[in-house]
Amino acid sequence: MTTRQVLVSLFAGVWIGALLVAGWNPIGATALTMDWLVEVLRTPFNTKFVILILFMGAGAAFIYRSGGILALEQTIGDRVTTARESQILTWLIGVFIFFDSYTSTVVTGNATRELAQDNDSSREMHAYALDSTTSPVTTFGPVSNWIGFQVSMIIVGFEATQATVDQLGVTAFGLFLQSIPWNIYCFMAFFMVGFIAITQRFFGPMLNAEWRARSTGRTIREDATPLSDVSADVGEPSDKNPSLMNFFAPILVLLVVGLVSMWYLGGGPQPDVDIATAFQETDVALGLLYGSFAFMLTGLVGSLAYRTMDLEEASEVIIDGFKTMVIAIAIIVLAWSIGLAAENVGTAQYIVDLLVGSGVPGSFLPLIIFIAAMFVAFTTGTSWGTMAILTPLAIPLSFELVGPSVLPVVIAMLFGGAIWGDHSSPISDTTVMSSIFAGSDHIDHVNTQIPFAATAAGVTVIVLFLYGFGMQSPFVALPLAFVLTAAAVVVLNKLDARRKGLPEVMPTAEEIDSGAVDIDRIERGEVDGANGSYDHLSAIPAVTVGVVVAYLLLVFGFAMLGG
């Protein structure tokens, strides 16, 4: 919280742990810290994960540099004619880039920024759509580097419990799968982007930003300071022979090879092993490694086959892709190390003893974990760092206080709370990146996103209270959360629009320019009949809803493999 620097702070946490173990000897602590860093990297799961992260970066760089993203822009650009359609499209492309949040922000932001600008969608809304789509989607996968990291954190938590898999009743990957339906915040954050974009019902500072963009054409606030575009980090896309194959083929190969590999490694071909058992018993890191290598290789082959680059340029793309993942790898290694430090100094057992003796009701433990994760992530600006800090504590505490049955809910709330803090913190790397690739003023992005993130978090808290009083089925909790979120958006929109004298349903810039929406009447407070009108069965929203429903069915089918 003091340094606002996640790498420095994580390293300091590891070193302080080593200092305690080394009897306050700073030289011994430094040596022990180095030993711990080496130890976590030598673990087979972790080694595979670091390599797959590099392959993911290279594959994503090929999608961008090969011109796949240009082909997508050329295919859909002429069909996007309103701010609403550009916002829906941003949500849709974010669904396709489910394997890495960094990549999703870069690719989706670059693919839709000009469309949003040309159609008078505010940069604040574009940044929000990027930020609140990427992290939730990569959290669920079904094939992503986030899954590998989250499973590695669950493994650290299992080690801290000093209980066997038989005692816990589930493998680390199986527990992750079981946690998916309980990740209320991430589902609601993702759902709100699409619901708000489709209905055009805004509230809070975003309502003002969208009205400014539609009525004046100023997509960014006057005197605002947009963050610069860092496309130089991944280079400029090739325009030699852009093809949609270079966009979709690597993603499809990643999905197929990753899932098939995990099924095969879990013993799927054996006649006595069903699909659910295969996925619970699989080597998830190795399966993702195979998928990420195929992802990178497909990008390489496609780039050469369509002659968008030569072999020398393709080799440079691989290295550039590796570079984009350096910070992520540094955070990951330190995250693993701080988990090891906490294990060595007995942090988990101390917290367990403290809370077990305090008489905290076990049914409200998920709410406590959710709030703790929100606080840590908001103040540190990192969801992965929050997962690293809290997972080794939350799993032993939950196991001792309640038992294995609460673990899926606790894990889901820990991950969801960490992502809420990431969405709301001005020092979050993904929040900063969303501002960069949307061309938004960073503080404007934070201010306009917080009310939306708080709404999704508020619904999550309501569900957790109901969980504490006995509503403990995700098949009841999740549908209820969707209904509450939709209702909250509509009510808040109506109240805020009425208070500000602005339309509830934001009209298009064309409706305003043509006089169909009378600005003078609105300024006089006469907003009746000033709402925008949209065809909800038009191609882009209809296709998007279909794709999102298919994606969610895939995610829930994936989750059901956890038993």
Side-chain angles (χ1 to χ4, degrees):
M1 288 185 285
T2 301
T3 66
R4 299 294 194 269
Q5 297 295 321
V6 62
L7 293 177
V8 173
S9 301
L10 282 173
F11 182 84
V14 177
W15 188 82
I16 290 294
L19 188 66
L20 294 171
V21 174
W24 304 99
N25 181 338
I27 296 176
T30 304
L32 185 56
T33 299
M34 298 302 109
D35 290 341
W36 285 348
L37 291 172
V38 172
E39 184 177 343
V40 297
L41 279 171
R42 290 177 61 186
T43 303
F45 183 101
N46 295 353
T47 304
K48 295 171 207 170
F49 185 68
V50 168
I51 298 172
L52 80 86
I53 283 281
L54 294 172
F55 288 162
M56 286 278 195
F62 275 119
I63 285 179
Y64 184 72
R65 289 274 290 274
S66 67
I69 196 67
L70 276 181
L72 187 66
E73 288 180 23
Q74 292 169 3
T75 302
I76 61 180
D78 293 338
R79 304 179 186 183
V80 177
T81 59
T82 66
R84 173 177 178 258
E85 290 177 344
S86 70
Q87 294 162 8
I88 295 172
L89 185 66
T90 302
W91 190 50
L92 174 62
I93 296 177
V95 171
F96 281 109
I97 315 296
F98 51 76
F99 46 84
D100 174 59
S101 61
Y102 182 98
T103 301
S104 183
T105 303
V106 173
V107 172
T108 307
N110 278 310
T112 56
R113 184 176 58 247
E114 294 303 321
L115 291 173
Q117 177 81 14
D118 293 343
N119 289 292
D120 296 314
S121 176
S122 70
R123 298 193 192 183
E124 293 94 327
M125 181 60 191
H126 191 209
Y128 161 67
L130 288 176
D131 206 356
S132 289
T133 300
T134 54
S135 296
V137 166
T138 49
T139 298
F140 304 136
V143 179
S144 74
N145 53 16
W146 278 62
I147 291 177
F149 176 74
Q150 289 167 151
V151 172
S152 75
M153 289 295 96
I154 293 173
I155 291 172
V156 172
F158 277 12
E159 292 170 351
T161 65
Q162 299 181 343
T164 65
V165 170
D166 289 338
Q167 290 174 305
L168 292 164
V170 67
T171 64
F173 186 52
L175 178 57
F176 165 75
L177 293 174
Q178 291 177 11
S179 75
I180 290 175
W182 278 109
N183 200 333
I184 306 293
Y185 173 75
C186 285
F187 278 116
M188 294 310 104
F190 172 71
F191 169 69
M192 278 185 65
V193 175
F195 186 76
I196 289 171
I198 291 171
T199 63
Q200 290 292 284
R201 290 184 174 273
F202 305 95
F203 59 89
M206 191 71 80
L207 177 62
N208 303 76
E210 281 295 292
W211 177 249
R212 180 202 67 228
R214 308 293 174 88
S215 61
T216 68
R218 294 198 306 268
T219 58
I220 190 168
R221 176 178 54 83
E222 194 173 351
D223 300 327
T225 305
L227 294 187
S228 60
D229 190 339
V230 294
S231 296
D233 289 353
V234 291
E236 293 298 326
S238 171
D239 58 1
K240 292 180 181 177
N241 188 25
S243 169
L244 283 176
M245 282 295 292
N246 282 334
F247 181 84
F248 288 108
I251 296 172
L252 182 62
V253 168
L254 170 65
L255 183 63
V256 172
V257 173
L259 291 177
V260 171
S261 296
M262 286 192 282
W263 169 79
Y264 183 85
L265 292 169
Q270 300 175 20
D272 58 338
V273 177
D274 58 30
I275 294 178
T277 302
F279 273 89
Q280 290 185 54
E281 300 295 332
T282 191
D283 184 340
V284 63
L286 188 57
L288 291 174
L289 177 61
Y290 291 157
S292 62
F293 177 74
F295 177 52
M296 178 185 69
L297 185 62
T298 305
L300 171 65
V301 171
S303 299
L304 298 177
Y306 284 91
R307 298 181 180 178
T308 61
M309 60 184 72
D310 57 29
L311 187 59
E312 181 180 356
E313 291 173 315
S315 300
E316 292 175 357
V317 169
I318 293 174
I319 300 303
D320 289 341
F322 286 174
K323 289 177 182 176
T324 64
M325 294 296 166
V326 169
I327 298 299
I329 289 174
I331 292 174
I332 290 163
V333 172
L334 289 171
W336 289 330
S337 301
I338 203 168
L340 184 59
E343 180 184 343
N344 276 274
V345 302
T347 307
Q349 193 57 49
Y350 173 79
I351 297 294
V352 167
D353 292 343
L354 187 68
L355 287 181
V356 169
S358 69
V360 174
S363 59
F364 286 97
L365 184 60
L367 176 60
I368 295 171
I369 295 297
F370 182 64
I371 293 172
M374 292 169 70
F375 174 75
V376 173
F378 182 82
T379 53
T380 61
T382 168
S383 55
W384 281 22
T386 299
M387 295 173 193
I389 292 166
L390 292 181
T391 309
L393 310 179
I395 290 180
L397 174 61
S398 305
F399 183 69
E400 291 289 336
L401 193 61
V402 181
S405 63
V406 79
L407 289 178
V409 190
V410 166
I411 289 300
M413 292 307 150
L414 196 161
F415 292 165
I419 291 173
W420 177 88
D422 214 19
H423 282 163
S424 304
S425 174
I427 58 172
S428 161
D429 55 350
T430 53
T431 302
V432 170
M433 283 182 57
S434 297
S435 298
I436 290 172
F437 286 97
S440 170
D441 181 283
H442 182 53
I443 298 304
D444 286 350
H445 166 45
V446 173
N447 288 340
T448 51
Q449 178 163 255
I450 282 179
F452 294 164
T455 302
V459 169
T460 304
V461 168
I462 292 172
V463 171
L464 288 176
F465 269 112
L466 295 174
Y467 176 89
F469 288 111
M471 191 193 71
Q472 300 187 352
S473 169
F475 302 107
V476 176
L478 194 56
L480 175 62
F482 278 115
V483 172
L484 289 175
T485 300
V489 169
V490 172
V491 169
L492 290 170
N493 160 256
K494 286 179 175 293
L495 292 175
D496 201 35
R498 188 174 304 162
R499 182 176 66 87
K500 294 174 179 175
L502 294 175
E504 292 177 13
V505 179
M506 189 62 60
T508 66
E510 289 76 12
E511 287 177 316
I512 295 173
D513 292 340
S514 67
V517 173
D518 191 339
I519 294 181
D520 293 334
R521 286 188 63 200
I522 292 173
E523 290 179 348
R524 292 195 301 268
E526 302 172 11
V527 295
D528 291 341
N531 290 332
S533 59
Y534 297 94
D535 179 7
H536 291 285
L537 296 178
S538 59
I540 290 180
V543 170
T544 299
V545 169
V547 170
V548 168
V549 169
Y551 168 73
L552 292 177
L553 289 174
L554 175 65
V555 167
F556 284 114
F558 185 55
M560 291 304 102
L561 297 175

